């Protein structure tokens, strides 16, 4: 029986969770105060139609609010620890080795949230085209996915083992 709740969880290490929480707290507190001060200072310069500083500050505010929203979503669905894993089955928290069809080279990467970007190997999101295609596949199986350029690509799963932090 599959647990559909696991699909909506973002698995994070304690370090990644703490880093994102600190960023969220800064942006939603002092960061908002700072940008409000920049907007107010620019507004005092006069005509808003031709005020580049004002428009730049408003753009920065919009980007910051989008980041706050994104961080809130991640933190609300985050679970600190390790995703349930079965060796030989691709899933979040697994180091996966694949071979792309037509290529002899093997590629290894961590299937995890992009927020784990501090990992010493490449990180592919389970929500990426490749990640979604291989999630749940077993060693020896093949998966085909559509790349951003619209072309299809096929990979063979060679190995799926729990990530050990680069050790």
């Amino acid at each position: 029986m599959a647990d559909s709740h696991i699909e909506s969880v973002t698995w994070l290490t304690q370090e990644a969770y703490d880093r994102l929480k600190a960023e969220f707290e800064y942006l939603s507190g002092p960061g908002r105060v700072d940008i409000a001060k920049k907007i107010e200072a620019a507004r005092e310069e006069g005509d808003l139609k031709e005020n580049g500083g004002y428009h730049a500050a408003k753009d920065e505010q919009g980007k910051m609010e989008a980041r706050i929203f994104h961080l809130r979503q991640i933190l609300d669905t985050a679970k600190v620890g390790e995703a349930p894993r079965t060796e030989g089955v691709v899933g979040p928290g697994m180091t996966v080795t694949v071979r792309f069809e037509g290529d002899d080279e093997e590629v290894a990467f961590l299937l995890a949230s992009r927020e784990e970007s501090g990992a010493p190997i490449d990180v592919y999101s389970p929500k990426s085209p490749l990640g979604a295609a291989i999630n749940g596949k077993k060693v020896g199986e093949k998966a085909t996915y559509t790349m951003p350029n619209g072309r299809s690509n096929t990979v063979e799963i060679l190995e799926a083992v729990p990530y050990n932090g680069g050790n």
Side-chain angles (χ1 to χ4, degrees), residues 32-92:
R32 278 185 170 147
V33 172
D34 291 346
I35 196 67
K37 287 178 184 174
K38 282 184 184 177
I39 291 170
E40 187 56 37
R43 185 180 282 140
E44 290 173 2
E45 291 175 13
D47 186 7
L48 297 183
K49 277 191 267 180
E50 297 179 18
N51 187 331
Y54 173 79
H55 293 290
K58 290 296 282 182
D59 285 348
E60 184 179 341
Q61 180 186 40
K63 289 176 185 170
M64 186 174 73
E65 291 300 326
R67 180 65 178 160
I68 290 170
F69 180 77
H70 183 69
L71 288 169
R72 169 57 43 218
Q73 285 183 312
I74 291 169
L75 294 170
D76 283 349
T77 62
K79 189 154 184 165
V80 176
E82 298 180 354
R85 303 179 295 202
T86 304
E87 190 157 336
V89 178
V90 176

